[in-house]
Amino acid sequence: MIPWVLLVLSSYVPLLATAETPKTLGVSPDLISKYSPSKSNTWKCLDGSKEIPWSAVNDDFCDCTDGSDEPGTGACPNTQFYCQNAGHIGAFIPSSRVHDGLCETDCCDGSDEKPGVCPNNCKEIGEAYQKKRNAELKIQRAGAKVRSSYIAFAHQEKKRLQAEVDKLEEQIKEKEKEVDRLHDIAERAESLSQEALEHKKKSPLYQAMINQQNALKSLKREYEKHLEREKSLGDILDTLRTGYNPNYQDMAVLEAVRGWEELAKLPHINDVGKDNEAADNANEEPLEEEEVLEEGMWTADQLKYQLDAVINADPVSLLLEHEEHIQAPQEGSILFDVTAYLPDSVIPAYEDFKDSIVSLLSKIGIIRGQTQADSSRAQQAYHDAEHDLEHMKREKEEKANEVKEIFNVHGFGAKGEWKKLDGSCFEKDTGDYTYEVCMFKEIKQKPNNGGQTFSLGKFESWNPSSDVKPGEPAYYQKQVYKHGTRCWNGPERNTVLLLTCGEENEILTVQELEKCEYQFTGTSPALCLPVEGDSKKGTREEL
């Protein structure tokens, strides 16, 4: 009986030896190089606290204070086990789950349990994951291209708005001068009699100004008619240029196309091809040679932006300015200034005497008293100019704020990728209702079969969570809309919009999680970051 037991034990010892845990089991790839014995067949704990025999590594007994000697067992608390998952993606699990008899989903190779307990499914899982990942990368790359165009739009928009701000700055300076001038005219008009004003209006100069203004108005009207007609003819010829068959030898058509290309300074359509690039070139403004103007002549921009100021100028104000100019004594002349000949001590008495004489003559009818002229027109011109100035200042401030907001991480993103979508609206038809999301504006619920439209909230902020920093991708994956229409006998309607990367801007789902609290999900290319590594192949995020 005893020899038989010894025989069984002798056959079991090799099995125990072969079942010994590999020393590098559970070690992550970045630490593999640190798991090798020294020349004296010892090993030092990763924290350097102790040196142990190499045989003590993965022996199911915790020797190191940091637990680094047991990466493949559950002997040490608060440690992690690394699943190699060959054919898929490696993953960490808590070491407490090693050898617990349960097959962990994250360890598809079954390495967290003894051999034979869990199957190795990494190949099948890896193939399914890679298929799904390739589909996601395809969407991400397509979306990233759209996002790149959004970023380019933001830069163009900033350039456009900044140009408008600069232009308004110049216009404000000119308008301030005009306001000061009109203010002076309005004050002078207050002291001018109506009879004197009517007399001045009969002057040839005033009549000439009126005639010139009327002529300019007529010329502008005819000019705008010609511009509209020219645009219509240009559109017709552009359509003919891009749509005619060059193989059809109709000389009249060919001559018309060639004539239009020469006049508009466009390349011949056969030289550039009929693709999108050619269409873009056809729509570009032709470069014209700069015309040499005679001194005093206006440029095209001056005619476009400054002609209205000439047409709408107040001729009465100009007449009064002219009168003041010609009546002003020459600099340095005191010939007609009586007070210039009098001692300073006599001047007050002289002024009192002059006023008394004028008053007496007015009373006895020898001269007519000066009545206040009807200065409403001059005052109106002054107030209109003041109003225009304030409007320009507000417009400049608004556009300057728009410029700042384009690349604000709290607004349209650090790269301005969301500016393109400002005010863009997307709808989701759920049968009974159509839900409309207008980005950065408002979300509405519209009944399909008649009834009242309700606001589900106005844009409040991006992701308000304290765990997310502005500028991070997660920050732009959530929008909050608040203060919508109040529910019957309830609170105001509020909505959370959750977004992910997608090729299109669209709303996917609509849910009312609880009374008056809604959750929408959707996709947007603005969230599609360039795929890591694509930049090395020449892909650029920004233009």
Side-chain angles (χ1 to χ4, degrees), residues 33-51:
S33 61
K34 296 184 178 182
Y35 281 82
S36 59
S38 65
K39 292 182 180 180
S40 58
N41 208 34
T42 61
W43 184 80
K44 185 176 289 188
C45 301
L46 293 184
D47 62 358
S49 60
K50 187 185 295 186
E51 190 167 350

Side-chain angles (χ1 to χ4, degrees), residues 153-201:
F153 172 83
H155 284 277
Q156 293 169 358
E157 191 68 0
K158 180 183 179 182
K159 184 178 179 181
R160 182 186 69 81
L161 288 170
Q162 188 59 56
E164 291 187 9
V165 170
D166 295 341
K167 181 180 175 182
L168 281 168
E169 181 68 34
E170 294 300 319
Q171 290 177 343
I172 286 171
K173 291 178 181 178
E174 293 299 320
K175 183 60 72 172
E176 286 174 337
K177 295 178 182 178
E178 182 183 354
V179 168
D180 291 339
R181 178 177 63 83
L182 291 174
H183 180 257
D184 292 339
I185 293 172
E187 286 187 337
R188 289 196 300 272
E190 287 287 346
S191 61
L192 185 67
S193 69
Q194 182 64 34
E195 183 179 353
L197 181 60
E198 291 300 325
H199 176 72
K200 293 179 185 296
K201 285 183 179 181

Side-chain angles (χ1 to χ4, degrees), residues 495-511:
T495 304
V496 171
L497 173 61
L498 303 178
L499 297 167
T500 56
C501 165
E503 295 182 62
E504 302 287 341
N505 292 292
E506 60 179 333
I507 304 303
L508 301 179
T509 64
V510 176
Q511 290 179 287

Side-chain angles (χ1 to χ4, degrees), residues 357-359 361-369:
I357 294 296
V358 170
S359 177
L361 293 175
S362 176
K363 287 180 179 179
I364 64 178
I366 296 178
I367 64 172
R368 293 184 180 180

Side-chain angles (χ1 to χ4, degrees), residues 78-369:
N78 302 321
T79 56
Q80 288 188 313
F81 177 89
Y82 183 77
C83 310
Q84 297 289 340
N85 293 342
H88 187 38
I89 300 173
F92 285 98
I93 64 171
S95 294
S96 58
R97 298 181 184 176
V98 176
H99 295 170
D100 63 353
L102 300 176
C103 298
E104 299 294 331
T105 304
D106 292 335
C107 275
C108 60
D109 59 0
S111 60
D112 59 312
E113 301 298 329
K114 292 180 180 180
V117 175
C118 298
N120 187 337
N121 298 322
C122 286
K123 181 180 178 182
E124 294 81 1
I125 293 175
E127 289 176 351
Y129 170 82
Q130 194 60 46
K131 183 178 180 181
K132 179 183 177 183
R133 181 58 181 157
N134 288 340
E136 291 174 348
L137 289 175
K138 183 179 178 181
I139 292 174
Q140 186 176 348
R141 288 190 174 96
K145 289 183 179 179
V146 179
R147 179 177 183 269
S148 179
S149 70
Y150 289 177
I151 293 172
F153 172 83
H155 284 277
Q156 293 169 358
E157 191 68 0
K158 180 183 179 182
K159 184 178 179 181
R160 182 186 69 81
L161 288 170
Q162 188 59 56
E164 291 187 9
V165 170
D166 295 341
K167 181 180 175 182
L168 281 168
E169 181 68 34
E170 294 300 319
Q171 290 177 343
I172 286 171
K173 291 178 181 178
E174 293 299 320
K175 183 60 72 172
E176 286 174 337
K177 295 178 182 178
E178 182 183 354
V179 168
D180 291 339
R181 178 177 63 83
L182 291 174
H183 180 257
D184 292 339
I185 293 172
E187 286 187 337
R188 289 196 300 272
E190 287 287 346
S191 61
L192 185 67
S193 69
Q194 182 64 34
E195 183 179 353
L197 181 60
E198 291 300 325
H199 176 72
K200 293 179 185 296
K201 285 183 179 181
K202 294 178 181 178
S203 72
L205 176 61
Y206 180 82
Q207 295 301 322
M209 285 191 292
I210 295 295
N211 291 336
Q212 287 177 0
Q213 282 187 325
N214 291 334
L216 285 174
K217 290 178 184 177
S218 302
L219 284 172
K220 182 183 178 185
R221 183 189 66 243
E222 294 301 318
Y223 172 68
E224 289 174 348
K225 287 182 182 178
H226 284 295
L227 280 182
E228 187 65 29
R229 189 165 181 266
E230 180 184 335
K231 183 180 181 303
S232 300
L233 289 172
D235 291 340
I236 294 171
L237 289 170
D238 277 333
T239 302
L240 177 63
R241 174 176 178 264
T242 56
Y244 88 107
N245 183 0
N247 297 321
Y248 181 65
Q249 298 298 322
D250 188 321
M251 297 308 296
V253 173
L254 181 61
E255 187 175 341
V257 170
R258 288 297 180 94
W260 170 238
E261 289 173 341
E262 182 179 355
L263 179 63
K265 295 182 173 56
L266 297 170
H268 184 44
I269 192 65
N270 288 344
D271 297 335
V272 296
K274 297 183 179 178
D275 54 9
N276 291 334
E277 182 179 354
D280 290 341
N281 290 335
N283 292 326
E284 290 180 357
E285 291 288 338
L287 296 176
E288 297 183 1
E289 296 181 3
E290 187 175 350
E291 183 181 1
V292 179
L293 300 176
E294 296 180 13
E295 185 177 357
M297 291 182 65
W298 282 24
T299 64
D301 283 343
Q302 286 177 308
L303 287 171
K304 184 176 181 180
Y305 298 111
Q306 299 180 27
L307 184 59
D308 285 342
V310 177
I311 292 175
N312 298 321
D314 180 18
V316 173
S317 300
L318 294 174
L319 184 62
L320 294 176
E321 281 189 287
H322 174 71
E323 290 284 338
E324 181 182 5
H325 173 72
I326 61 175
Q327 290 178 6
Q330 295 182 0
E331 185 177 354
S333 173
I334 61 172
L335 181 59
F336 299 103
D337 187 1
V338 176
T339 57
Y341 295 93
L342 300 175
D344 292 341
S345 59
V346 180
I347 291 176
Y350 166 76
E351 292 291 346
D352 292 340
F353 173 74
K354 182 183 71 174
D355 291 341
S356 300
I357 294 296
V358 170
S359 177
L360 177 61
L361 293 175
S362 176
K363 287 180 179 179
I364 64 178
I366 296 178
I367 64 172
R368 293 184 180 180

